[in-house]
Amino acid sequence: MTENSQAQPAANPELPTQYAPAEVEGKLYERWVERGYFEADEKSGKPPYTIVIPPPNVTGSLHLGHAFEHTIIDALTRRKRMQGYETLWQPGMDHAGIATQNVVERELAKEGKSRHDLGRTDFVERVWQWKEESGGQISGQMRRLGDGVAWSRERFTMDEGLSAAVQTIFKRLFDDGLIYRAERIINWCPRCLTAISDIEVEYQDDNGELVSIKYGDGDETLVVATTRAETMLGDTAVAVHPDDARYAHLVGKRIKLPLTDRSIPVVADEHVDPEFGTGAVKVTPAHDPNDFEIGRRHDLPNITVMDERAVITVPGPFQGLDRFEARSTIVAALRAEGRIVAEKRPYVHSVGHCSRCKTTVEPRLSLQWWVKVGPLAKAAGDAVRDGRVTIHPKEMESRYFAWIDNLNDWNISRQLWWGHRIPVWHGPNGETVAVGPNDEPPTGEGWSQDTDVLDTWFSSGLWPFSTLGWPEQTPSLEKFYPNSVLVTGYDILFFWVARMMMFGLYAMDGTPPFHTIALHGMVRDEHGKKMSKTFGNVVNPLDWMDEYGADAVRFTLARGANPGVDVPIGEDWVQGSRNFANKVWNATRFAMMNGATVEGPLPDASQMSATDRWILSRLNETVAQVDALYEDYQFAKLSDALFHFAWDEVFDWYVELSKTTFFAGGEQAKVSGRVLGEVLDVTLRLLHPIVPFVTETLWTTLTGKESVVVADWPADSGFRDQAAEREIEHLQQVVTEVRRFRADQGLQPGQKVPGRLDLSATPLAAHETAIRQLLRLQEEGDAFQATATLPVAGATVALDLSGTIDVPAERKRLTKDRDAAEKEKQQATAKLGNEAFLAKAPDNVVDKIRGRLAKAEADIERLTAQLAALPEG
């Protein structure tokens, strides 16, 4: 377990009395970057380990979700680097089409201008200017967190190399018949004036209205209900179920469409649910995705009734009205004609909103570019089914398959100016030519490039290989593709992960983009509530880093990271992690001042005390446990294991047990000093991937070596000493039980009392001095009175509590507590003995009562022993 990186001149062994994160974190990070620790060499003979950063938006800033995800990735890459892998954590940013265009348009609005005043070329130039001056602040924030990314390889989804990758794969897909142009229903934002993807639509419950409208007259009457009355102007049919006898006489007939001079057919379609509402639905193919499909099946016309700003375009009294104005006006007109059968308001229903500007999204028929995902999605599903790609945790596989096996064709065009412009030229006679990065576009009269840009997810879907130089066959691509693991949130499993899988398998001849998909949950507040500006519970991780240090934030996040599960986090937990960092600092400083050393080999086990052998045995067990948990992406469990080993076993037990040895000096103190140095060395290296700053400072001071970043990852030496572990566990039992008794008597932790210790029936005789120190036991003295005698785990501890407690009051308190425990036992026993209760009660309720019974019995035993130990009187 000894570290073998090249030793440097010894650092100053003096450590400040307190750890001040703000004074060391920034300097340490810049030193790491300057020394090139995070860079990756494709010429290296080391095995590769590659992770890409989920590219944050160029408009973004570090939020807790980023901090959480980056902590996990950084821990994985730091450990692999220490294990000898050529480790690449690929950084970069996404151009974030809609978000970035909106930011710059808002800036222009302050100047009284729009993008149309500038024109496309100048506007795009303005966005690039904004990106260089104001974009990418998240990069500096990533440094604050300690992200060990290869900064020299930073990429941007609009840079020259990635643009070539986008054009290349577009042309290949186009030539293979997997990209086409067609009219379909899409999500349209009337504010951003573009199609948006499903992930850019946020659904929320809105107060609307549900109106039931009578179509037709006399015997040829149908009632339909709608929340969007304005769309009736585009109705081209009413649909009923083929088996619905109520409307069989109307199928095939035409009925009058109110407020218009049109009649529309009644069609029979199995999509209609005869049990829902009246069993009749209005069909507006140009403004509803389900209606669009009904329209295709029945060859219905598509009538668009709104423009791109959601303003009514149908000639007549409603023309020029905004959709919401038109809704109320049309309902009023229908009411005046006696066509409104029922009205319900408020009617709470789920409505989609643009995630960028919060405008209500409008389903709209539009001519767009599409990817035919069928064969691509099948390949992405097969890669997981045949084991080439593993999803972790495994239970997330079903969600992946439910999505990937039912993908609809993907709308990839956006009506923006900022983004990858679609590399297609349209000719004067309807020609369509896709152009690759090395092709000359067609020229001449009538030829023009398509005005749309590609969905941001199109370019970010190429991220695992475009960042490595593809389509060129670069050394980096050969070395670092496929990625070892993708770490990302389950919330974008369907949008980003699925697209990377489809594109990676397609572009890289069937080789998936990563071996493992490790999914994590979302960060929530301490009550498990989603963080939202609306709720007022959003936390800026930079504020916590300013207050408590980056290590504290990282350790808190890691301790909550169970695979695929949401992570609750509160400030008091960060304070606890800060306390842990301080504990590591103070204990290491104390140990170094009292003989801890890494010089020379470890002494032979025969020279060690049982305490030394115990801590080394526990150390190796912890190394093995942490390694296994890393391989299973169990960050919460491995962080917890490290916390309890470092705080409880090393600092609270081993250091305390060894104090008497250190104070005594001599050869045994040298042996224990070397053991303690080894334990600290390994513990700091184990902790480093999660809490890099404090461990770097302590480890380099302890060892005098260059950096823990490039130190060897600890290996389990195989040393175990079960006998020593049992002996120290025995000691811990004695000390813990007596400490509990002291606390129950109201004694302060540091308060010394006279005590007699009999260890003759235990193997703990060699530990008497340490036990006395831990229990704050004074020598007996001539006036010693054994007012309390405790038999604990074979040992006998007699205490003189005269003058320290009010015996009658204590006896009364303990008796009252024992009586309450007896009553609790009786009640639990009665319930568990009631067969009728057991037959009806849920398992969790029965288990809870069994737990109450067990606790009551343990309390009775403990309180009885405490009463027996009290002196008479």
Side-chain angles (χ1 to χ4, degrees), residues 569-614:
I569 185 172
E571 186 168 4
D572 55 336
W573 303 340
V574 185
Q575 292 173 354
S577 295
R578 185 269 316 274
N579 294 343
F580 175 63
N582 288 342
K583 180 79 168 182
V584 174
W585 179 274
N586 293 333
T588 303
R589 182 174 178 274
F590 171 86
M592 292 174 62
M593 292 171 62
N594 288 274
T597 179
V598 295
E599 295 178 6
L602 274 176
D604 187 78
S606 62
Q607 299 176 268
M608 298 180 190
S609 67
T611 308
D612 294 334
R613 297 195 305 277
W614 162 73

Side-chain angles (χ1 to χ4, degrees), residues 13-80:
E14 294 295 324
L15 285 168
T17 55
Q18 291 183 324
Y19 176 52
E23 295 178 11
V24 300
E25 289 179 349
K27 296 175 184 176
L28 283 182
Y29 190 84
E30 290 309 313
R31 185 188 308 161
W32 292 337
V33 172
E34 289 169 5
R35 293 179 177 178
Y37 291 156
F38 304 140
E39 297 302 325
D41 181 5
E42 61 266 16
K43 298 177 183 178
S44 158
K46 299 177 182 179
Y49 186 81
T50 316
I51 296 181
V52 295
I53 188 174
N57 289 352
V58 67
T59 59
S61 59
L62 191 74
H63 57 64
L64 268 179
H66 289 130
F68 173 55
E69 186 168 78
H70 290 202
T71 295
I72 293 174
I73 299 175
D74 197 38
L76 287 171
T77 53
R78 283 178 183 270
R79 173 174 173 261
K80 285 296 182 180

Side-chain angles (χ1 to χ4, degrees), residues 1-5 75 78-79 82-83 584 598 619 623 626-627 630 642 674 677-692 694-696 698-700 702-703 705 707-716:
M1 291 183 296
T2 56
E3 199 281 326
N4 63 9
S5 68
R78 283 178 183 270
R79 173 174 173 261
M82 295 171 75
Q83 287 182 314
V584 174
V598 295
L619 176 66
V623 170
V626 168
D627 272 333
Y630 259 115
L642 286 169
R674 180 63 187 90
E678 182 76 6
V679 171
L680 290 174
D681 171 13
V682 173
T683 301
L684 292 170
R685 283 188 277 150
L686 288 173
L687 284 167
H688 172 72
I690 299 174
V691 285
V694 68
T695 52
E696 171 79 340
L698 293 173
W699 189 86
T700 52
L702 172 70
T703 66
K705 294 181 180 177
S707 173
V708 70
V709 177
V710 290
D712 288 342
W713 180 252
D716 176 8

Side-chain angles (χ1 to χ4, degrees), residues 724-743:
E725 290 199 37
R726 286 192 296 270
E727 183 174 325
I728 301 304
E729 286 169 7
H730 196 161
L731 180 153
Q732 290 171 327
Q733 186 179 359
V734 171
V735 172
T736 300
E737 288 298 320
V738 177
R739 280 177 170 172
R740 183 180 291 123
F741 176 79
R742 285 172 52 100

Side-chain angles (χ1 to χ4, degrees), residues 467-768:
T467 52
L468 298 173
W470 187 90
E472 300 299 323
Q473 296 304 306
T474 64
S476 288
L477 187 66
E478 182 178 353
K479 176 79 172 182
F480 296 112
Y481 187 91
N483 292 185
S484 305
V485 61
L486 174 76
V487 177
T488 192
Y490 63 70
D491 57 318
I492 56 174
L493 171 65
F494 315 128
F495 305 101
W496 187 44
V497 179
R499 279 140 177 72
M500 286 190 291
M501 286 285 284
M502 290 190 294
F503 280 170
L505 289 159
Y506 174 79
M508 301 301 291
D509 300 321
T511 301
F514 20 73
H515 298 301
T516 301
I517 302 169
L519 297 171
H520 59 73
M522 312 297 292
V523 178
R524 297 181 177 272
D525 73 11
E526 58 193 305
H527 306 294
K529 196 172 184 179
K530 180 181 178 182
M531 287 192 174
S532 162
K533 292 181 180 178
T534 303
F535 299 147
N537 61 352
V538 174
V539 173
N540 183 347
L542 297 171
D543 293 340
W544 280 353
M545 283 190 270
D546 288 342
E547 182 72 20
Y548 306 110
D551 285 336
V553 174
R554 290 170 63 114
F555 195 65
T556 303
L557 292 165
R559 288 193 77 182
N562 289 298
V565 178
D566 288 347
V567 183
I569 185 172
E571 186 168 4
D572 55 336
W573 303 340
V574 185
Q575 292 173 354
S577 295
R578 185 269 316 274
N579 294 343
F580 175 63
N582 288 342
K583 180 79 168 182
V584 174
W585 179 274
N586 293 333
T588 303
R589 182 174 178 274
F590 171 86
M592 292 174 62
M593 292 171 62
N594 288 274
T597 179
V598 295
E599 295 178 6
L602 274 176
D604 187 78
S606 62
Q607 299 176 268
M608 298 180 190
S609 67
T611 308
D612 294 334
R613 297 195 305 277
W614 162 73
I615 196 62
L616 287 176
S617 184
R618 292 295 307 129
L619 176 66
N620 279 285
E621 181 61 36
T622 301
V623 170
Q625 182 184 9
V626 168
D627 272 333
L629 291 170
Y630 259 115
E631 295 305 315
D632 200 34
Y633 303 98
Q634 297 281 357
F635 284 90
K637 291 181 179 179
L638 74 88
S639 299
D640 218 42
L642 286 169
F643 174 87
H644 288 295
F645 175 72
W647 190 306
D648 300 343
E649 297 186 277
V650 178
F651 303 140
D652 278 358
W653 284 105
Y654 182 73
V655 170
E656 292 299 319
L657 286 169
S658 300
K659 280 182 178 179
T660 53
T661 302
F662 292 138
F663 295 161
E667 287 302 314
Q668 191 56 53
K670 292 180 180 178
V671 170
S672 293
R674 180 63 187 90
V675 169
L676 179 53
E678 182 76 6
V679 171
L680 290 174
D681 171 13
V682 173
T683 301
L684 292 170
R685 283 188 277 150
L686 288 173
L687 284 167
H688 172 72
I690 299 174
V691 285
F693 295 106
V694 68
T695 52
E696 171 79 340
T697 305
L698 293 173
W699 189 86
T700 52
T701 305
L702 172 70
T703 66
K705 294 181 180 177
E706 180 184 349
S707 173
V708 70
V709 177
V710 290
D712 288 342
W713 180 252
D716 176 8
S717 71
F719 177 83
R720 300 290 192 279
D721 192 323
Q722 298 301 324
E725 290 199 37
R726 286 192 296 270
E727 183 174 325
I728 301 304
E729 286 169 7
H730 196 161
L731 180 153
Q732 290 171 327
Q733 186 179 359
V734 171
V735 172
T736 300
E737 288 298 320
V738 177
R739 280 177 170 172
R740 183 180 291 123
F741 176 79
R742 285 172 52 100
D744 288 339
Q745 308 312 312
L747 297 176
Q748 295 301 312
Q751 185 176 351
K752 293 185 178 182
V753 296
R756 179 186 300 143
L757 189 59
D758 182 359
L759 302 172
S760 59
T762 74
L764 303 179
H767 302 285
E768 179 169 353

Side-chain angles (χ1 to χ4, degrees), residues 175-251:
D175 292 345
D176 286 346
L178 295 175
I179 284 182
Y180 64 94
R181 198 180 190 210
E183 277 196 324
R184 297 281 189 276
I185 295 288
I186 45 86
N187 302 306
W188 182 266
C189 177
R191 156 62 183 80
C192 298
L193 299 180
T194 181
I196 59 177
S197 66
D198 291 339
I199 198 173
E200 292 162 329
V201 179
E202 293 179 349
Y203 287 89
Q204 66 184 48
D205 288 341
D206 285 359
N207 287 329
E209 61 180 358
L210 180 68
V211 293
S212 297
I213 309 169
K214 181 174 66 176
Y215 282 28
D217 296 298
D219 293 336
E220 297 181 352
T221 297
L222 285 167
V223 175
V224 300
T226 181
T227 58
R228 301 163 65 218
E230 69 279 7
T231 63
M232 67 168 292
L233 299 176
D235 286 359
T236 55
V238 173
V240 298
H241 193 275
D243 299 331
D244 194 334
R246 294 173 295 175
Y247 306 118
H249 67 290
L250 292 176
V251 174

